[in-house]
Amino acid sequence: GENQDSMTSIMDELRRQALILKSEGGYGFCADVLRPRGAYVDGIGGDSPGAVKLLEMWDTQSSVITAGSGLKKKAAKGKTKIRKGAQMVTMSLFHPDIEEFITAKQTPNRLTKFNMSVLVSDEFMDAVENKKPWNLEFPDYQLCKHEYRKYWDGNLAAWKARGLPVKIYKTYPAAGQLWDLIMTSTYNRNEPGILFSDTIN
């Protein structure tokens, strides 16, 4: 639907997550649609805590819903345990919060209810192999608020194809610098995972 990066849509998504986990299903989504840390939010007149910080809402809700009572069962009815919430979240390498996403689990006990993976495009791997620069960028929603509410769904290529503006938050002189950060984090903590999104699609 429209206006996906809004508190209303976020709370709708948290409701869906709760119902899925309640039924012991698995849940996953891509965080690309969420605006980066420090981005201005008109509705609150302040800055966004960012995509990775917002994931703590899903993480906490998963922990509570799947916790059970913690007490020894007295009655014979019902299950002896609840299936722990199986969750996955992904983020593309263009997102301005990708460094925080990559290193999030270097902090013990952070986002423990998620498996986290980065979406690696063919364009990014070409930049790594050929030592090209790489931008972290996001739609410039302040310049086109109506279009952002109507069209932004996390697909940056589709956004650019409409001729809509982006804001560059950081440029790596060589994409390999970002790749090295992924490899170091994965070596130290087994996260994030890697999904070659173009190949998958």
Side-chain angles (χ1 to χ4, degrees), residues 2 144 147-148 150-153 155-165:
E2 296 182 5
C144 46
E147 291 84 356
Y148 185 74
K150 185 172 179 63
Y151 297 121
W152 177 240
D153 61 358
N155 187 333
L156 191 66
W159 177 266
K160 289 180 174 181
R162 291 181 181 274
L164 295 168

Side-chain angles (χ1 to χ4, degrees), residues 161-189:
R162 291 181 181 274
L164 295 168
V166 298
K167 179 180 176 182
I168 296 175
Y169 286 72
K170 180 175 181 175
T171 298
Y172 291 92
Q177 293 175 268
L178 184 55
W179 182 248
D180 287 345
L181 181 65
I182 298 168
M183 293 299 103
T184 300
S185 295
T186 300
Y187 180 81
N188 289 336
R189 196 82 178 173

Side-chain angles (χ1 to χ4, degrees), residues 11-29:
M11 297 312 293
D12 285 345
E13 195 56 41
L14 283 161
R15 179 179 183 275
R16 282 189 283 272
Q17 179 224 24
L19 294 174
I20 289 168
L21 295 184
K22 180 193 73 144
S23 65
E24 299 184 275
Y27 174 88
F29 74 108

Side-chain angles (χ1 to χ4, degrees), residues 7 10 13-14 47 55 57 59 90 99 128 138 147 169 176:
M7 188 53 65
I10 288 169
E13 195 56 41
L14 283 161
D47 296 340
L55 294 179
M57 297 169 69
D59 195 65
T90 61
E99 290 183 16
V128 171
F138 199 77
E147 291 84 356
Y169 286 72

Side-chain angles (χ1 to χ4, degrees), residues 44-195:
I44 62 172
D47 296 340
S48 169
V52 181
K53 183 68 176 175
L54 284 172
L55 294 179
E56 294 177 13
M57 297 169 69
W58 281 267
D59 195 65
T60 300
Q61 186 160 273
S62 173
S63 179
V64 172
I65 290 170
T66 62
S69 69
L71 303 173
K72 186 175 181 180
K73 285 185 71 69
K74 295 179 181 178
K77 66 180 180 180
K79 301 174 181 179
T80 56
K81 65 178 181 177
I82 299 172
R83 179 177 183 264
K84 297 303 181 187
Q87 293 193 115
M88 181 161 187
V89 63
T90 61
M91 182 178 279
S92 295
L93 291 171
F94 69 76
H95 197 285
D97 286 350
I98 191 63
E99 290 183 16
E100 185 181 0
F101 184 90
I102 291 166
T103 60
K105 288 202 174 179
Q106 303 301 307
T107 302
N109 301 316
R110 188 177 187 201
L111 299 178
T112 60
K113 301 302 180 183
F114 276 114
N115 286 321
M116 302 173 74
S117 288
V118 293
L119 299 179
V120 180
S121 64
D122 291 345
E123 181 186 9
F124 177 77
M125 289 311 301
D126 177 71
V128 171
E129 292 170 0
N130 294 290
K131 298 180 173 58
K132 297 178 183 176
W134 184 258
N135 292 330
L136 302 186
E137 51 192 345
F138 199 77
D140 195 335
Y141 55 87
Q142 290 291 94
L143 285 182
C144 46
K145 295 178 182 180
H146 170 74
E147 291 84 356
Y148 185 74
R149 287 191 295 269
K150 185 172 179 63
Y151 297 121
W152 177 240
D153 61 358
N155 187 333
L156 191 66
W159 177 266
K160 289 180 174 181
R162 291 181 181 274
L164 295 168
V166 298
K167 179 180 176 182
I168 296 175
Y169 286 72
K170 180 175 181 175
T171 298
Y172 291 92
Q177 293 175 268
L178 184 55
W179 182 248
D180 287 345
L181 181 65
I182 298 168
M183 293 299 103
T184 300
S185 295
T186 300
Y187 180 81
N188 289 336
R189 196 82 178 173
N190 292 327
E191 296 244 18
I194 298 290
L195 295 175

